[in-house]
Amino acid sequence: MPYKNKEDRRKQNIKYLNTENGFLVSKWNDLKKRKGKVQSLTNDITREEFFELWEKHKKKYGWNCYYTGKPFRIDRKLAVKGANKRHSAPPDLLSVDRFDSDVGYTKNNIVFCRWDFNDRKSNISVEDCKIIIEKYIERQKRSERRMYSSGGLVQ
């Protein structure tokens, strides 16, 4: 379908990206071109596997975050011409997370969650989570739950 101008093409592209398939294709493409630490990790998931995982997620969790159970959504907006940055992501936007940040995007390491949770989780590893939980349990067992021997009382 030929477009009269670039603006019509942009609007049609956003319309597609706001469909379930369009949004997920865009997410899969994004994870395949990730840079930095993720680039050095194994990212061997195929597009077919990615979509299979999405279907399994929907069957088990619906359109809800793997971690919190809160609902998420898809949403893309037209970029503002001349803007220095993209629109900020809404907190309930569907996001693809590496469950263990020390492992790449693999079939056994991808979960679908909300953007706000993924942003808070950032690059924490499973091992770091275990340490935090161990320290939390240790502190809960203290009669006076002080963070440090000379620190303030934790409520």
Side-chain angles (χ1 to χ4, degrees):
M1 170 166 137
Y3 296 99
K4 294 178 185 173
N5 59 46
K6 288 181 182 180
E7 190 64 23
D8 288 343
R9 183 176 34 210
R10 285 182 36 184
K11 286 178 183 175
Q12 189 63 32
N13 188 39
I14 289 297
K15 189 175 179 180
Y16 171 68
L17 290 174
N18 278 305
T19 66
E20 180 179 352
N21 190 65
F23 191 86
L24 287 165
V25 166
S26 138
K27 286 293 178 189
W28 186 79
N29 287 330
D30 288 348
L31 72 86
K32 291 310 257 182
K33 57 186 176 187
R34 290 290 307 262
K35 302 278 188 232
K37 176 186 173 188
V38 178
Q39 191 175 29
S40 66
L41 301 171
T42 302
N43 294 316
D44 62 359
I45 189 163
T46 67
R47 184 173 166 163
E48 292 74 27
E49 290 170 331
F50 180 79
F51 276 89
E52 284 173 21
L53 289 173
W54 168 244
E55 290 302 323
K56 286 179 184 176
H57 174 92
K58 281 196 314 185
K59 217 176 222 184
K60 188 167 185 176
Y61 303 102
W63 282 71
N64 298 303
C65 176
Y66 172 81
Y67 297 112
T68 67
K70 293 180 180 178
F72 52 58
R73 65 187 169 111
I74 56 175
D75 182 33
R76 293 289 171 125
K77 293 181 174 64
L78 275 174
V80 178
K81 285 186 177 180
N84 291 333
K85 62 179 188 172
R86 298 170 62 181
H87 294 286
S88 59
D92 60 347
L93 188 68
L94 168 59
S95 184
V96 180
D97 182 42
R98 291 174 295 128
F99 184 81
D100 184 343
S101 297
D102 289 337
V103 178
Y105 289 101
T106 65
K107 189 174 181 176
N108 295 319
N109 198 42
I110 285 179
V111 297
F112 298 93
C113 62
R114 288 171 50 112
W115 183 89
D116 58 347
F117 190 89
N118 198 355
D119 184 53
R120 287 192 314 269
K121 180 180 167 280
S122 190
N123 288 321
I124 194 166
S125 70
V126 170
E127 288 305 312
D128 288 342
C129 289
K130 288 177 184 176
I131 291 167
I132 291 168
I133 290 169
E134 287 170 7
K135 293 299 180 184
Y136 174 80
I137 292 169
E138 178 184 303
R139 288 180 55 214
Q140 294 303 308
K141 291 178 181 176
R142 295 180 190 159
S143 58
E144 286 190 30
R145 296 184 342 220
R146 294 189 185 275
M147 191 176 302
Y148 305 104
S149 58
S150 62
L153 190 62
V154 178
Q155 299 298 328

